[in-house]
Amino acid sequence: MSSHELKTGPLEYRTQQGQMNILGFWIFLGAEIVLFSTLFATYAVLFGRTADAPLPGELFEPGSVLIMTFLLLTSSFTCGIAIHEMRRGSKKGLITWMIITLALGLGFIGLEIEEFIHYAHEGATLQSSAYWSGFFILAGTHGLHVTVGIGWAILLLIQIAKRGLTPVTSRKFFIISLYWHFLDVVWIFLFTSIYLIGMVV
Amino acid sequence: MQLDEFFVTGEPLIYAGMVSIVLVTAAIIFVLTYFKRWGWLWREWLTTVDHKKIGIMYILSALAMLFRGGMDALMMRVQLAFPGMDFLGSQHYNEIFTTHGTVMIIFMAMPFLIGLMNVIVPLQIGARDVAFPALNALSFWSFLFGALLFNISFVIGGSPDAGWTSYTPLAGAAMSPGPGQNFYLMGLQLSGIGTLATGINFMVTIIKMRAPGMKMFQMPIFTWSTLVTAFIIVFAFPILTVALALMTIDRVFGSQFFTLTGEGLPMMWANLFWMWGHPEVYIVILPAFGIFSEVIATFARKQLFGYKAMVWSMILIAGLSFLVWVHHFFTMGAGAFVNSVFSVSTMLIAVPTGVKIFNWLATLYKSKIQFTVANLWALAFIPSFVIGGVTGVMLGMAAADYQFHNSYFLVAHFHYVLIAGTVFACFAGLVYWYPKMFGHKLNERLGKISFWFFLIGFHVCFFPQYFVGLDGMPRRVFSIIPEWMPLNVISTVGAFGMGLGFAIFVYNIYYSYRYSEREKTGDSWDGRTLEWATPTPVPFYNFATVPHVNSHDAFIEMKEKGETTFDEEKVEPIHMPSNTGQPIIMMGIAGIASFGLVFEWMWMAIAGLIGLVVMMGVRSFDYDDGFHVEVDEIKRTERKARGL
Amino acid sequence: MERNKRHIKKWLAMLPLSLVLLLSGCSQLTVLDPKGPVAESQKDLIMYSIWFMLVIVVVVFALFTYMVIKYRDRPGRGDKDYNPHLHGNTMIEVIWTVIPILIVTALSVPTVQTLFDLEKPPESTASATAAKEPLVIHATSADWKWFFSYPEQNIETVNYLHIPTDRPIEFKIASADSMSSLWIPALGGQKYGMAGMQNTLYLQADEQGVYDGRNANFTGEGFAAQTFEVYAESSEEFSNWVEQAQNSPELTQDQYNKLLKPGLTDRKTFSSTHLQWVNHGTMAGMDYAIELHGEAYEKELHLKSGDIEIDATDEE
Amino acid sequence: MAEHNKRIPVQHIVGFVLSLVLTLLAAWAALRSDLSTFWIITSIMILAVIQAGIQLFMFMHMTESESHNGHVPWNMMFHGFVLAAIVVAGSLFTMSFGHDHDPQHNGGHEQHQQQEEHSGGH
């Protein structure tokens, strides 16, 4: 609970509380890795258990999946730029790049929902087989994380508009940037192990 | 849903339970209203973020849960001693062993230890609170509402009845329809979230908030055990979260993870459950090791032997704990190779554990042992735990495990490690730190009587179970063949001995509250670590001035140098967090959402979920930065506390 | 205070002693009184490990007793033999790290060996004749009963089985619904039965007799009653029994479906097996029972202890 | 320190380009190359790990010293990934390796074989 404040360095690291919140979030991300890996493990073990539902290779379309991947990769990049702007002391830059990030995220979510609806029409739903349960819950959990991230970032944008760049607001933005990049990391593995492998095997 | 489906009907024992719940609730409401204590309760306890108060609430809840789980145990023992009496029917017996296991592990052992961590760890490292005090309160309320949700099941909706392991497909929607199993899933889910938050909280606290000068390898051993435990929690609990979520989705939304239809794989549940479950065992045993180390070192009046080896063995145990989960289902038929791998990794855990046992023994070498009650619990742990440990190695030998598995041999083993390890540690820790928490010691004479009843009762109860297990008695049966009767009767006698020991312990709390001498100094036992450097009762800011630490056993060094935690020259204003009602409200809403999901009332679940999201938003916009305690107030408080 | 300490001593001295006494009486315990080569090898492994464990227990107890008595804080002891700053000793710590490693190694080797041996049919020990082909029996559990199908003999029994002695039995274990575990402690360790999967367990009886078998894995309300008896008899007697059984009525699918319904049932014998319609151990057969009786799992049996005993006396 | 005030975030741009290239490479390997299934899976998993590293080091500032958090973030990520490997590989090892999932088809643990059978049915 020390209130000593450093005079230099990025704003988000200047108070001990700021450092601790960021550290706590890193630890939380460690837990998130395990959370997703459990879903990956379930998916992997249930691979092939499609029962009467269509096979993944029949439904996956490389085109839309690649677009989704590029949307998310780009949003991760723009989110990085937003933090770069924040560290340069530019509130406007931060807000602008963050809004771009969210727009890309929304695009990703839109495509994912469309994809899920398409699969459901083809007869692959949460209920249709163990494999598809694994697929929808794994991809869905990631999608839910992205959605939560968008809502969270909107709250933070309101706060920064009101309060400007302070150790507290910049800490909050730094943390959500960690979250956003992390979702990109998860997506890379999702893209690789669900879609690419699903289309190969 | 009809009202008679909502309430459990037809069991006299459960009617009695309902009546007592109503009476106790009415009594509490009456007392609070009559003495006009509602405001006090809200300000001092329900909204508190003080780690000491949160710890005390954890411990009190855990004691209540110990009572509940203990009653379950006694009922089971009565049934097994007199199966002909038809005391419990099969269904009722199944519900009771399910709730006994779940309550004892999730709602007793873990909260009890987390409670002790809460009270002690910040004091041991010279911190003024944990890293995230409001999150800490949130953890507690999530545990409490989870526990309430789980415990209410026996009067509303029906208890879960698929065992604390809840193996699918038995626990799935097809074979266990109704809210019972949902209570298990949601109760554990809700409290599990809090446990994960606690893990993160304590990791950050210990890493970032140690007193100046205190290096990692100078931390008190209980703090080390907490750090290692927090690490295990962070990496193990997400697995449980996912497993529970998947089964919930299976049951409520019809997915096919662990079902017999849609090519589901029921055994995957067992796999995920034990991937969490085995680390969980170490979550409840490592803090116990830490407590024993503190207690033994204090009452042996001697430095802990092999401090570094103790720390490294804990780290090693933590690592290995993630690599042995398959030994819980060697008999699933994964083949000789898989079983060999996990058999060897399981037995390897005996190595660091053995090192710890020998280090404790060596701590006693050339010491001056004082047989206080706390130390009796700690000393009794060593031989008792060794019996549990060696039989654990026997269970780890997969080929032999085919005969031990699912038998009372296994039941005896895990009670030997969990009671002699965790429960003894809870008692040792509570007795040891009791004066720090409540300002007076527990009566030693009553404490000793309760200790001997509990210890002898424990061995009488569980030692025969090894043999009845080798005679082929499986666990979880409510009816037995005549050959197993004599040993079961002996077991039951022992169980009542333990019950009596616990009752005396509880009476001792009341007796000591009335008659024990109040503590005058903060150093009740001539302690070695920083928690004893604070005055008793501990001021809410813990340390007026934080000492500089150069060694473990920091307080020994301070006493040698004549230092205290109140250096008038150096007092500065102290920044403290404000109380907040958000955690209890947030978790109350989460409790309502969970309750809705238990009964699959979607309107209620969705409304609760929206409320939860709104509360998170409120939290995000809350910029309350706490307050400062001024120098004058600190000086006044400290002078009064120290009688200066 | 003083009396308590004496208690500790007395009690601690008695514990290992009682352990030895109890162990000597152990030969009556089912698991330690094996009736076949599989249980024999497991018993040998258990006894082998028990001796190690006993040594560890005795050493720790002796050290503990010594420390507690010698270094207790008694009046007039003063600072003799008291060294509060003794912080460790690398040499001795290495020793007590290495010894457990050696013990673990000594336990691992026979464990792994036995594990691999148990995956094969036991080699015939009692009879001098050459190794016989294992007798295949499909053991299928359903809530809360056991079906034993003999595909070669084309017979099926419910809740009991006959086996010839001196011949390996190859159990093909599966479950129609909840996960179960086939355990005949006198003949050897258990293995799970699961729907959609098939486990193989080799057992063998060397001695004739009637042995208790059961489901050891919790399956719900009727779990305690999910038991069966194993009749191990000479191969002639076994052949006679098979002949007799082959004269029993055939098992119809309708009848089988009724039997699958959750509940208790008494012994039955049929001259055909259910394997002709469904093998619950395959992916195709895993949802057979649940599709058939999905609703029936909700119903409670209201089973009391007395019900089970009546059931047992009904048999034979 | 100086890096934070630079106008153009070189590190981010490099990271972004790299991640695009790696994604396309993985997609090519999976969809267009003639590699065997085993090598495809191996190579695209390696590419994914490299990409994850890019995010962690170049975007998330996992190791910057101004955080005053030392090696802890790195430590958590490292152990998180170790555990992920244990959970995924361990589950496959114990759930699929030795089991006879489908005795009639006699090849339960070889999943693609199973899959062919399924696709045959369609």
Side-chain angles (χ1 to χ4, degrees), chain B residues 413-434:
Chain B
H413 156 71
F414 68 68
H415 283 94
Y416 254 88
V417 285
L418 283 172
I419 294 181
T422 308
V423 177
F424 283 17
C426 289
F427 284 136
L430 184 57
V431 173
Y432 177 58
W433 284 306
Y434 200 85

Side-chain angles (χ1 to χ4, degrees), chain A residues 6 13 19 23 26 33 37 47 49 55 70 73-74 76-77 81 84 87-88 178 181 184 188 192 200, chain D residues 4 6-7 9 16 20 23 44 51 55 59-60 64 66-69 72-73 80 84 101 111 115 119:
Chain A
L6 301 172
Y13 290 137
Q19 295 166 15
L23 180 65
W26 275 109
I33 293 181
S37 71
F47 195 85
R49 294 178 162 254
L55 292 172
F70 288 134
L73 281 177
T74 314
S76 184
F77 168 66
I81 303 294
H84 178 81
R87 286 192 169 175
R88 285 179 61 235
L178 290 182
H181 293 309
D184 203 37
I188 292 163
T192 309
V200 170
Chain D
H4 297 135
K6 269 190 293 195
R7 182 100 188 91
F16 181 50
L20 291 182
T23 305
I44 61 180
Q51 258 204 79
Q55 295 277 335
F59 288 179
M60 290 167 84
E64 64 189 355
E66 295 94 327
S67 71
H68 298 276
N69 286 330
V72 182
H101 280 303
Q111 275 147 346
Q115 201 146 351
S119 52

